[in-house]
Amino acid sequence: MAFADTCSRPEGSSTGAAAADGTRTYLIGGNWKSNGTVASLEKLIAEFNAAGPIPANAEVVVGAPFIHIPIALQSLRKDIEIAAQNCSLTGTGAYTGEVTASQLKDMGVTWVILGHSERREGFGMAGEDSELVAKKTKLALSEGLKVMLCIGEKKEEREAGTTMDVCAEQLKAATAVLSEEDWANVSIAYEPVWAIGTGLTATPEMAQETHADIRQWMADNVNPAVAAAVRIQYGGSMKGANAAGLMAQTDIDGGLIGGASLTKGFFDVVNGVPSA
């Protein structure tokens, strides 16, 4: 029995129609990063619990810091799933400081965010390369977690016209180790690094162009059925003010939200999901 199964979380509620058969359910992910205290998290959870219904054609997940995952599992409404922001490359054992996919699953965590640009870049330590991210993804999937796999280019790469070269390199490492069946439990989170936390964002048309290119790459390099089914989130400063316009695009299937997920305004993004 997972830890989460022993918790009495409040019920959620939904509105509208579920996604039709053969269409993609929107995925709205929140990434709290290394933010928050017990007090601020309790306040935020209370706001989310009181925020009203979630569209029935959307799945909502929040990525909490490891230390706060138990609080979220105990008190956040049931219709918001809990993600970790990383997991180790190892199983359990003598790996001081690591948190494994199997431990997360045992707690009742259902998702993990992997390959985020901040971890690829590093912060006072070596960054994670695409092969490492791919291996972590395969291990997480094997332990029963679902994965938001982050990819994306830096500002100088966008300006040089190499956006898809960068994204393809990051995806190629994953396709080398994932089976076609694995992709049913993977979402691709496209995050233009130049737009994260800067207030800059791609126009809906710019974002759609890259999302369409990613989907075409998946069709060419995995298969068309996987490409049609895989969800591609936009992770470049999506917030309530621009969420509806971004998600109205054909190949944008939700968002991975940073700073805006730390306020009750996160639900402005959730409510920006187009009707089924």
Side-chain angles (χ1 to χ4, degrees), residues 219-255:
D220 294 341
N221 292 275
V222 183
N223 72 44
V226 168
V230 71
R231 291 180 288 185
I232 307 175
Q233 300 159 268
Y234 178 72
S237 294
M238 184 184 281
K239 49 189 176 291
N242 61 18
L246 286 162
M247 289 189 285
Q249 304 300 310
T250 303
D251 291 295
I252 299 180
D253 305 313

Side-chain angles (χ1 to χ4, degrees), residues 153-267:
E153 84 284 5
K154 299 177 183 177
K155 186 172 186 286
E156 60 269 25
E157 293 164 337
R158 156 98 24 198
E159 291 173 345
T162 59
T163 292
M164 268 313 298
D165 294 333
V166 173
C167 292
E169 180 272 330
Q170 294 167 344
L171 286 169
K172 186 177 180 180
T175 59
V177 298
L178 301 186
S179 68
E180 291 182 5
E181 291 74 21
D182 283 335
W183 287 98
N185 291 308
V186 176
S187 172
I188 299 169
Y190 166 62
E191 44 167 17
V193 180
W194 49 271
I196 298 173
T198 64
L200 300 173
T201 189
T203 65
E205 294 75 21
M206 288 169 61
Q208 164 59 24
E209 180 180 15
T210 304
H211 279 234
D213 287 344
I214 292 168
R215 199 175 304 281
Q216 186 60 53
W217 190 94
M218 290 292 293
D220 294 341
N221 292 275
V222 183
N223 72 44
V226 168
V230 71
R231 291 180 288 185
I232 307 175
Q233 300 159 268
Y234 178 72
S237 294
M238 184 184 281
K239 49 189 176 291
N242 61 18
L246 286 162
M247 289 189 285
Q249 304 300 310
T250 303
D251 291 295
I252 299 180
D253 305 313
L256 180 55
I257 319 303
S261 70
L262 289 163
T263 73
K264 61 184 177 182
F266 180 58
F267 264 73

Side-chain angles (χ1 to χ4, degrees), residues 18-101:
D21 290 345
T23 64
R24 297 181 296 271
T25 297
Y26 289 90
L27 177 59
I28 308 297
N31 181 10
W32 292 346
K33 305 189 180 185
S34 292
N35 288 299
T37 63
V38 170
S40 69
L41 182 60
E42 289 175 341
K43 177 177 182 291
L44 183 62
I45 287 174
E47 290 172 341
F48 283 9
N49 289 349
I54 289 172
N57 62 331
E59 183 176 3
V60 180
V61 185
V62 292
F66 287 133
I67 195 70
H68 293 149
I69 284 173
I71 300 173
L73 287 170
Q74 288 176 313
S75 56
L76 184 61
R77 54 193 288 174
K78 290 181 180 179
D79 54 355
I80 299 180
E81 297 178 76
I82 312 301
Q85 300 170 19
N86 184 36
C87 68
S88 72
L89 184 59
T90 68
T92 56
Y95 307 106
T96 301
E98 293 297 283
V99 177
T100 72

